[in-house]
Amino acid sequence: MPDEMARPLIRGRGGGAGSRQLEASMSELGAPVIGILGTGDFSRSLARRLVASGYQVVVGSRTPKRSVALFPEEAEVTSQLEAASQADLVFVAVFPEHHSTLMPLKATLAGKTLVDVSNGLRINRDGPSNAEQLADLFPESSVVKGFNTISAWSLQMGPRDGSRQVFLCSNSNKSKSVVMQLCRRMGFIPVDMGLLSSSLEIENLPLYLFPSWRIPIICTLSLFLFFYLYNFIRDILQPFITARKSLFYKMPIETVNVTLPSVALVMFALVYLPGLIAAFLQLWWGTKYKRFPNWLDRWLAGRKQFGLCSFLCAVLHAIYSLCLPMRKSARYKLLSEAFKQVKDGVEDSWVDEKVWRMELYLSAGILALGLLSLLAVTSLPSVSNTVNWREFSFIQSTLGYCALSMATLHTLLFGWDRAFDPARYRFCLPPTFMLVLILPVTVLLGRLALFVPCVAGRLRQIRRGWERSRHIRFVLPEDGCHNGLEDISNV
């Protein structure tokens, strides 16, 4: 298989003169000459993307003859001093601990724009950043921090296969504007992060490991561990202690399959609970201008991650359920039941109540999973960017509550009349589905409470600026004269 990183984005013409003519024909009149100091993987990918974007590129290397074969023919590979002399804008693509080796180029780089693409080895919270240290080493140059969040793969394959955002910051607006123009021409989206003091935040971005996922994942794992142990005690440990009946074979499949929907439903209810809490707090305060507690702000910001964790558990539950008949234990139980019916002379084991319960149970579960899949797909940035806010709110809120209702109904149908069977209370513990239903039923009842006309009307007033303490005279618009942005569906 050929090396994708070695494939040139633009084919060479063979000779050096032809390459220079190609560069001249591709480069726009007045476009800056781009220099790159460094010959690593990132430098190679950056050079190929710049050449493909029509820029004249000159690469500075300590060993030009050894590095020339790594770069496209359209890029000139020369010494660091010569590259710094020719270039108008220079990418510093060397590790920050080697920035001091560029000090002999200080006079040559004076007055030029330096783009620092380096990252640290660990999260730096105290500073200074690599870009600020580079600015201290080259005070006569304009340092721009950027491209450190873009991988070499994204540069090699283009923005279609990677992140398109490039975070930039600099104390020089002119230099930052030049780099932003370069970003757009390369197919990326520049994001202005302000002054060079923001470089520490930009350098830390690639080092974070799912910061917004930490609490949802911990919550998911904690709920899974709780419900798994709860089901283990009720379904496996209790029969073993009381009747010496070994059911430990259920641990890998059945117990997990009962635990996953429990976690999925509780996590899904946690997606909509903070919105209800926020709505009732606004009703209690009588204003929308009072800040929510920090824990509620973080909860509201992490609802997407809670929902995706719920979706993962629901999908795994569906897969596990489809695999249940494939187990040997299920086959043995089926054959044993059939043999018992033949032995007892039972001609018809059809029970309408059980058949209807199973049909409705499966139907509600399929609908819930389908709606949850729609919510998960809509949460993707590429999809959410194609809908307006009202459409997004309708899908995530209205259809989301429909999905929560169907999932709750799915659990209720699973329980059926089991809640009234004393034999189900093993070790005096209620069935698992009774614990699971507490939170989603509470959320649905709270949502219904917001539909009460007097409550819904007051919440609409508050979200349009009404405040109880100021006694502002306020008249709601007619029913058909609002845009839906202040609707209670956004909770």
Side-chain angles (χ1 to χ4, degrees):
M1 181 176 179
D3 184 9
E4 293 289 340
M5 295 293 292
R7 181 185 301 171
L9 296 174
I10 295 179
R11 297 185 180 181
R13 296 294 184 87
S19 300
R20 299 284 81 80
Q21 293 175 1
L22 179 61
E23 289 176 5
S25 63
M26 292 178 58
S27 301
E28 293 183 1
L29 187 61
V33 177
I34 308 300
I36 303 176
L37 299 180
T39 55
D41 292 338
F42 188 87
S43 302
R44 291 169 52 193
S45 301
L46 179 61
R48 296 182 188 279
R49 181 53 46 194
L50 288 169
V51 168
S53 301
Y55 284 101
Q56 182 177 348
V57 179
V58 55
V59 181
S61 173
R62 290 175 295 180
T63 54
K65 293 183 179 180
R66 189 177 64 178
S67 303
V68 66
L70 302 175
F71 290 85
E73 295 182 0
E74 293 80 12
E76 180 182 356
V77 181
T78 181
S79 65
Q80 290 184 341
L81 179 61
E82 188 174 350
S85 302
Q86 296 182 29
D88 303 305
L89 183 149
V90 178
F91 280 87
V92 181
V94 298
F95 290 107
E97 55 266 29
H98 301 316
H99 282 172
S100 58
T101 62
L102 303 177
M103 289 302 293
L105 308 177
K106 185 174 182 178
T108 307
L109 294 175
K112 297 185 178 182
T113 299
L114 306 182
V115 182
D116 177 35
V117 300
S118 65
N119 282 314
L121 297 176
R122 60 183 63 87
I123 295 178
N124 182 4
R125 302 189 185 278
D126 302 323
S129 66
N130 297 334
E132 290 173 323
Q133 294 180 22
L134 183 65
D136 291 338
L137 291 176
F138 298 92
E140 298 180 4
S141 303
S142 300
V143 176
V144 178
K145 184 67 186 184
F147 284 89
N148 64 301
T149 58
I150 301 296
S151 66
W153 174 259
S154 298
L155 288 170
Q156 178 77 9
M157 301 305 296
R160 65 185 183 277
D161 287 339
S163 174
R164 299 191 62 186
Q165 289 186 330
V166 177
F167 299 95
L168 301 173
C169 67
S170 175
N171 292 333
S172 172
N173 290 329
K174 180 180 178 181
S175 298
K176 186 164 53 177
S177 298
V178 173
V179 180
M180 292 176 71
Q181 183 180 358
L182 180 142
C183 287
R184 295 189 184 97
R185 186 166 168 181
M186 294 171 67
F188 295 100
I189 300 175
V191 179
D192 190 350
M193 298 291 289
L195 299 178
L196 196 62
S197 56
S198 302
S199 59
L200 187 63
E201 178 184 357
I202 297 176
E203 290 177 5
N204 287 334
L205 284 177
L207 302 177
Y208 288 121
L209 184 62
F210 303 115
S212 59
W213 287 86
R214 185 176 297 112
I215 294 178
I217 289 177
I218 292 175
C219 187
T220 302
L221 295 178
S222 301
L223 286 172
F224 183 88
L225 182 62
F226 169 77
F227 282 115
Y228 187 88
L229 292 176
Y230 190 86
N231 291 322
F232 174 80
I233 293 172
R234 291 188 70 261
D235 300 336
I236 298 176
L237 193 60
Q238 190 271 346
F240 181 77
I241 293 177
T242 58
R244 307 306 296 178
K245 187 176 182 180
S246 178
L247 299 176
F248 291 96
Y249 70 89
K250 293 185 176 181
M251 292 176 60
I253 301 294
E254 282 196 42
T255 307
V256 173
N257 191 42
V258 177
T259 303
L260 285 172
S262 304
V263 178
L265 185 53
V266 173
M267 289 293 292
F268 197 30
L270 291 176
V271 174
Y272 295 98
L273 182 59
L276 291 175
I277 296 176
F280 283 111
L281 282 178
Q282 289 179 339
L283 289 170
W284 177 263
W285 294 332
T287 179
K288 70 172 184 178
Y289 297 107
K290 187 173 181 179
R291 287 188 57 84
F292 295 130
N294 291 332
W295 59 268
L296 185 56
D297 276 335
R298 292 194 296 269
W299 193 356
L300 289 168
R303 288 180 293 178
K304 173 182 175 180
Q305 287 74 24
F306 275 88
L308 291 177
C309 288
S310 172
F311 175 67
L312 173 63
C313 292
V315 171
L316 290 176
H317 168 57
I319 296 174
Y320 269 85
S321 299
L322 291 175
C323 294
L324 288 178
M326 300 170 56
R327 302 171 303 146
K328 282 191 175 294
S329 58
R331 297 177 187 177
Y332 288 145
K333 292 175 67 175
L334 182 62
L335 292 174
S336 177
E337 187 68 23
F339 178 76
K340 182 180 179 181
Q341 291 181 8
V342 172
K343 183 178 179 181
D344 296 340
V346 179
E347 297 181 358
D348 188 7
S349 60
W350 183 279
V351 180
D352 283 336
E353 180 183 357
K354 292 183 178 180
V355 172
W356 272 103
R357 168 184 165 272
M358 183 56 65
E359 297 294 316
L360 294 174
Y361 164 73
L362 291 176
S363 178
I366 293 172
L367 289 174
L369 182 59
L371 290 173
L372 192 56
S373 302
L374 177 62
L375 298 178
V377 171
T378 312
S379 66
L380 297 174
S382 58
V383 178
S384 61
N385 290 338
T386 62
V387 297
N388 60 35
W389 169 246
R390 190 173 185 183
E391 294 168 342
F392 182 80
S393 175
F394 172 79
I395 295 174
Q396 294 292 332
S397 182
T398 306
L399 294 185
Y401 273 104
C402 291
L404 181 61
S405 301
M406 295 307 301
T408 305
L409 179 61
H410 176 68
T411 307
L412 287 171
L413 290 170
F414 172 81
W416 201 255
D417 58 353
R418 298 175 181 178
F420 308 102
D421 185 2
R424 298 286 178 178
Y425 291 79
R426 300 164 185 169
F427 281 159
C428 300
L429 298 175
T432 307
F433 68 87
M434 294 185 64
L435 298 180
V436 173
L437 286 171
I438 295 175
L439 196 58
V441 169
T442 302
V443 171
L444 292 175
L445 291 177
R447 186 68 173 85
L448 290 176
L450 292 180
F451 272 129
V452 177
C454 59
V455 178
R458 179 51 56 89
L459 186 58
R460 282 189 58 201
Q461 283 183 326
I462 291 173
R463 291 186 171 178
R464 292 183 64 87
W466 180 87
E467 293 183 85
R468 182 192 303 141
S469 60
R470 295 181 180 273
H471 304 287
I472 299 175
R473 187 175 180 180
F474 187 89
V475 179
L476 280 175
E478 297 180 3
D479 292 340
C481 299
H482 65 90
N483 57 15
L485 300 183
E486 74 286 351
D487 203 338
I488 63 168
S489 63
N490 296 329
V491 300

